[in-house]
Amino acid sequence: MLLNILKAKANEGVEQPFEISCALEQDVLADRNCKPISDVKVAGTMKYLNDHLYLDAKAMVKLLCLCDNCGTEFEKDFEFDIDENFVESYDSHDSEDYLILQGCVNLDEPLLDNLLLKLSSRLLCKEDCKGLCSVCGKNKNLYTCNCEEIEKELERQEENPFSKIKNRR
């Protein structure tokens, strides 16, 4: 997603509002078990000053994710900030800044970097997701099973010193 900054360069030191929208590639978040189901909308301001472009924006995208606890697909809206600096060259600037290329900045990398920072390490379909039963594999959000009670009872029986006698019969 290229953002033209020629107007900001022509009006150095003045904040310029902008809005832009684009599609993310479907596989860009595959390692996080997510895929975009809407365009990314970015709106904010940019200011060009002393060979720097300062960008302050909010981005929004809807993702289809796979719950890390139960494996259920769910949709989630993500809103995140993009507060980044762009420079004409890395010669005298921080290498963490992004580059300005021929009067444009490519927002793909900063957009993805900030989205990945916003995604939590565990994506859940709901805050209190119960996950899957470790015995029968059923989704505990949808089904009730007594596998854990049976497992606990078996553990109690094994801890009982007389269980060895019982097992000899």
Side-chain angles (χ1 to χ4, degrees), residues 29-35 64-68 73-74 123:
L29 297 169
D31 62 332
R32 292 290 294 124
N33 293 321
C34 293
K35 66 181 178 181
L64 181 64
C65 303
L66 199 60
C67 180
D68 288 330
E73 283 190 335
F74 66 99
L123 295 170

Side-chain angles (χ1 to χ4, degrees), residues 18-113:
F18 74 93
E19 278 187 40
I20 194 167
S21 179
C22 80
L24 283 176
E25 291 183 33
Q26 288 294 306
D27 63 345
V28 76
L29 297 169
D31 62 332
R32 292 290 294 124
N33 293 321
C34 293
K35 66 181 178 181
I37 55 175
S38 75
D39 285 352
V40 180
K41 294 174 179 63
V42 183
T45 59
M46 60 180 154
K47 179 169 64 171
Y48 187 84
L49 185 63
N50 300 327
D51 295 333
H52 274 79
L53 178 77
Y54 302 97
L55 189 111
D56 184 20
K58 285 211 177 292
M60 292 176 24
V61 65
K62 183 179 286 243
L63 300 177
L64 181 64
C65 303
L66 199 60
C67 180
D68 288 330
N69 273 1
C70 69
T72 302
E73 283 190 335
F74 66 99
E75 293 181 5
K76 184 161 181 148
D77 292 321
F78 284 92
E79 186 173 308
F80 55 99
D81 294 326
I82 302 173
D83 183 16
E84 299 293 349
N85 298 326
F86 295 81
V87 294
E88 296 286 348
S89 74
Y90 287 136
D91 294 340
S92 61
H93 300 290
D94 190 349
S95 62
E96 290 184 7
D97 294 336
Y98 299 95
L99 280 177
I100 297 170
L101 303 169
Q102 300 173 342
C104 291
V105 292
N106 187 342
L107 293 180
D108 291 344
E109 190 177 353
L111 185 80
L112 189 57
D113 289 348

